[in-house]
Amino acid sequence: MTTWLNMSLQDGASPIMEQLIFFHDHTLMIMLMIITTVMYMMTTLLWNKHTSRFMLEGQLIETTWTIAPAIILVFIAMPSLRLLYLMDEIHNPTMTLKAVGHQWYWSYEYSDFTKLEFDSYMIPQEENQASTFRLLDTDNRIVLPMNSPIRLVVTAADVLHSWTIPSLGVKTDATPGRLNQTSFSINHPGILYGQCSEICGANHSFMPITIESVSANNFINWVSSL
């Protein structure tokens, strides 16, 4: 999860999020070069008292400042389209998790297992322990195996919600009467936190999401113990 005074994105816990961070840095460098060039030209125009008659009506400079932005947009668009394709593609998922948004909690169903479903509520503030995070921990965590493609199916039972885990690069709207689908793969063990990021009502910020990423053996033991 993020830390105090952290100006950058959270550390990526999935290959997609790592690619999103790389794309963010790539685009930021392009923007930095554009801002530097524009600021240099503006400063030069302010302090330079000379005027070039060849620059007042020059076809070359007009062609240059038309083609250059187009080339820059290509350098931004190509990795962006690649990322959109990777985020939409689902490759033979190992298991399917269904998330249903309610007011004001989430319920989960493991579609590949029989009668494996539970509700996930935020832990009340008076029950918080030293090892739990306020407004982020839940009484029932989602346990998922690491290094496994997971298909996520999201819907809602009442109003609009949004199932969001920033460190996974996953944000899927939960719409009543509709199933939205996405996929992700967690590349290391740990606990990941998220919240409902849709303004679905007064208590939408009290719908936390907690994922516990474990090894495949530990996941099988967890399923067997239920």
Side-chain angles (χ1 to χ4, degrees):
M1 61 182 297
T2 188
T3 56
W4 294 108
L5 299 178
N6 188 3
M7 299 297 292
S8 60
L9 299 172
Q10 294 186 22
D11 293 337
S14 68
I16 291 296
M17 187 57 191
E18 292 177 353
Q19 292 293 318
L20 285 171
I21 294 174
F22 292 152
F23 175 68
H24 169 268
D25 296 341
H26 167 76
T27 308
L28 201 62
M29 289 300 102
I30 294 177
M31 292 174 61
L32 182 61
M33 289 187 290
I34 294 173
I35 293 173
T36 303
T37 304
V38 172
M39 292 299 296
Y40 170 76
M41 295 180 68
M42 290 179 63
T43 306
T44 304
L45 288 173
L46 287 174
W47 293 100
N48 185 16
K49 298 181 181 180
H50 301 285
T51 302
S52 174
R53 62 187 179 91
F54 298 106
M55 299 291 279
L56 295 178
E57 293 184 3
Q59 298 296 324
L60 179 60
I61 188 64
E62 291 182 3
T63 304
T64 302
W65 68 43
T66 302
I67 295 178
I71 297 175
I72 294 172
L73 288 176
V74 170
F75 277 98
I76 296 176
M78 294 306 292
S80 176
L81 293 174
R82 172 180 170 271
L83 258 179
L84 285 173
Y85 174 79
L86 290 176
M87 294 173 67
D88 190 60
E89 189 71 12
I90 298 178
H91 300 284
N92 298 325
T94 304
M95 58 174 293
T96 300
L97 175 69
K98 182 180 180 181
V100 182
H102 302 270
Q103 294 177 318
W104 307 100
Y105 65 95
W106 292 96
S107 61
Y108 299 99
E109 303 173 11
Y110 288 75
S111 304
D112 301 288
F113 303 94
T114 305
K115 296 182 179 180
L116 181 51
E117 56 186 51
F118 54 83
D119 297 331
S120 183
Y121 291 87
M122 184 188 72
I123 297 178
Q125 185 171 345
E126 58 273 10
E127 298 180 12
N128 279 334
Q129 301 176 359
S131 60
T132 60
F133 289 97
R134 177 178 174 270
L135 302 182
L136 285 177
D137 265 301
T138 57
D139 54 356
N140 291 315
R141 293 173 174 174
I142 312 166
V143 181
L144 294 174
M146 56 180 288
N147 295 326
S148 301
I150 308 296
R151 177 197 287 125
L152 176 69
V153 179
V154 183
T155 187
D158 35 51
V159 297
L160 291 173
H161 299 283
S162 186
W163 199 90
T164 306
I165 300 289
S167 57
L168 291 178
V170 175
K171 184 180 185 296
T172 306
D173 289 338
T175 308
R178 176 172 178 172
L179 294 176
N180 287 331
Q181 179 177 275
T182 187
S183 65
F184 58 88
S185 177
I186 309 174
N187 55 16
H188 62 75
I191 300 176
L192 313 176
Y193 295 97
Q195 287 179 307
C196 174
S197 59
E198 183 71 54
I199 304 178
C200 55
N203 295 324
H204 83 98
S205 58
F206 300 99
M207 293 179 61
I209 305 164
T210 309
I211 295 180
E212 185 173 351
S213 174
V214 298
S215 64
N217 291 333
N218 289 338
F219 176 76
I220 295 173
N221 293 335
W222 176 76
V223 172
S224 303
S225 63
L226 297 177

